[in-house]
Amino acid sequence: MSQTLNPKSDFANRMSAAYPSFSKSYRRIADFVLARPLDVVAMSIEGLAQSSGSSTATITRFVRAAGYSGYGEFREKIVSDFQFEASENNKNSPENHESGLKKSFLHTALSDSSDNIRDAIANIDAASSAAFIEALINARRIIILGTGASHYAATLLEEGLALYTEKNVINVLSRGASQYANNFVRSVDEGDVVIAISMPRYSNNTVQLSKAAKQKGAVILAITDSPTSPLVPVADVIFFAPARNRLLPNSPAAIFALADAIVTAVAERRPDIVTSTIGTAPDDLFL
């Protein structure tokens, strides 16, 4: 079952604004609430305290630090900002498909990835989508920052955007050398566009290089998982793609799917290149 809070909602914005000043215990509560909002709205204050490893007194102070008068208002705001897609898709979910089939953990993992992708779709509005793609189309140069699990999405973007924008596209952190990256950012100027990709555990290199590029006048396009991501205060346009994984630290499935969609959206603006690529691909297989 898909569950997400709109990362641009008032509730999420409050969490994002307050998160940097939160103590470690407050951040743990915020992370729990943002990851499991549907569970939280059904919990008493005692239930949230137990589930998040806190005390009722800490929850009360956390709620007030987030700008709410009490736990009741806090829960009501989650409900009002909650996005839940109880759609026809759920009828085709692994839970309801061939009820006699026992679901394996592989099915569960795929279902979770599907939920992350579905939530990423719900979180992208038309204005952000248009602004993101237009920035790439009009960029003087495109710089991509992504390490760890984000590296694969960065590589996909590098290859696709270089082909369909015919611009200078550089995946800076692919070399893994921070000194090279620092030297490269010194050349950043107005007209450049930076795509910064990061999910838990967030890359300090990606965040710091994004800040440096922002100060030089570059446009920052962020792909991240949560309104509490350290990329949020830096970015001009943000795409949110949940990275929830019930076993591992994160899942790159939604971010990878989003990277693929970005390349496709840019390619749609260059039908001439798409036609020439499709026309030559089969012959290339036999060279």
Side-chain angles (χ1 to χ4, degrees), residues 133-134 137 164 261-272 274:
I133 300 305
E134 285 300 322
I137 296 296
Y164 294 112
I262 290 168
V263 171
T264 303
V266 169
E268 188 267 339
R269 303 284 292 270
R270 292 300 304 270
D272 55 325
V274 173

Side-chain angles (χ1 to χ4, degrees), residues 144-155 171-178 181 195-210 223 231 250 252 255:
I144 305 172
L145 304 173
T147 61
S150 302
H151 160 77
Y152 303 102
T155 299
N171 183 3
V172 175
L173 295 177
S174 65
R175 297 180 178 235
S178 58
I195 304 177
I197 313 170
S198 193
M199 68 186 109
R201 306 164 183 168
Y202 303 109
S203 164
N204 186 58
N205 267 348
T206 297
V207 174
Q208 294 306 318
L209 290 173
S210 297
I223 301 176
L231 281 177
N250 56 56
I255 287 179

Side-chain angles (χ1 to χ4, degrees), residues 87-101:
S87 65
E88 292 294 320
N89 291 331
N90 286 328
K91 294 181 180 179
N92 297 320
S93 67
E95 290 86 351
N96 295 316
H97 178 62
E98 296 184 13
S99 58
L101 178 65

Side-chain angles (χ1 to χ4, degrees), residues 3-15 33-34 37-38 41 68 73-85 122-123:
Q3 63 171 24
T4 185
L5 277 166
N6 183 345
K8 297 181 180 179
S9 66
D10 178 70
F11 182 87
N13 285 335
R14 287 199 192 192
M15 290 294 105
V33 172
L34 290 170
L38 188 59
V41 296
Y68 298 100
E73 182 190 3
F74 176 77
R75 282 199 308 179
E76 288 173 5
K77 195 59 183 176
I78 297 176
V79 173
S80 66
D81 286 346
F82 185 69
Q83 284 184 346
F84 173 59
E85 193 171 336
N123 289 336

Side-chain angles (χ1 to χ4, degrees), residues 16-263:
S16 177
Y19 198 85
S21 64
F22 279 168
S23 65
K24 186 176 181 179
S25 60
Y26 284 9
R27 289 189 178 192
R28 184 171 63 249
I29 299 168
D31 291 342
F32 182 88
V33 172
L34 290 170
R36 299 175 60 182
L38 188 59
D39 294 333
V40 172
V41 296
M43 289 179 178
S44 64
I45 188 171
E46 292 81 9
L48 177 56
Q50 181 178 5
S51 298
S52 62
S54 305
S55 66
T56 55
T58 302
I59 298 295
T60 299
R61 291 193 295 269
F62 164 78
V63 166
R64 290 175 180 167
Y68 298 100
S69 60
Y71 188 68
E73 182 190 3
F74 176 77
R75 282 199 308 179
E76 288 173 5
K77 195 59 183 176
I78 297 176
V79 173
S80 66
D81 286 346
F82 185 69
Q83 284 184 346
F84 173 59
E85 193 171 336
S87 65
E88 292 294 320
N89 291 331
N90 286 328
K91 294 181 180 179
N92 297 320
S93 67
E95 290 86 351
N96 295 316
H97 178 62
E98 296 184 13
S99 58
L101 178 65
K102 184 177 181 180
K103 190 170 65 172
S104 70
F105 191 80
L106 179 63
H107 289 91
T108 300
L110 286 170
S111 180
D112 288 348
S113 293
S114 177
D115 282 347
N116 282 346
I117 293 171
R118 188 179 298 115
D119 289 354
I121 295 170
N123 289 336
I124 297 174
D125 57 81
S128 296
S129 177
F132 200 105
I133 300 305
E134 285 300 322
L136 296 176
I137 296 296
N138 297 323
R140 178 179 73 94
R141 181 176 56 171
I142 299 172
I143 303 163
I144 305 172
L145 304 173
T147 61
S150 302
H151 160 77
Y152 303 102
T155 299
L156 174 62
L157 284 170
E158 179 186 23
E159 294 179 356
L161 294 179
L163 175 61
Y164 294 112
T165 66
E166 296 184 315
K167 298 179 186 293
N168 185 13
V169 181
I170 306 97
N171 183 3
V172 175
L173 295 177
S174 65
R175 297 180 178 235
S178 58
Q179 185 59 47
Y180 172 85
N182 290 333
N183 290 339
F184 185 83
V185 168
R186 291 193 184 97
S187 71
V188 173
D189 203 347
E190 293 182 6
D192 289 336
V193 170
V194 174
I195 304 177
I197 313 170
S198 193
M199 68 186 109
R201 306 164 183 168
Y202 303 109
S203 164
N204 186 58
N205 267 348
T206 297
V207 174
Q208 294 306 318
L209 290 173
S210 297
K211 289 180 179 179
K214 177 84 168 182
Q215 291 175 351
K216 298 289 291 291
V219 173
I220 310 299
L221 308 179
I223 301 176
T224 192
D225 70 305
S226 167
T228 58
S229 164
L231 281 177
V232 169
V234 187
D236 295 291
V237 185
I238 309 169
F239 280 168
F240 290 102
R244 298 182 299 262
N245 189 302
R246 65 183 67 204
L247 181 65
L248 305 177
N250 56 56
S251 167
I255 287 179
F256 195 85
L258 183 54
D260 185 51
I262 290 168
V263 171

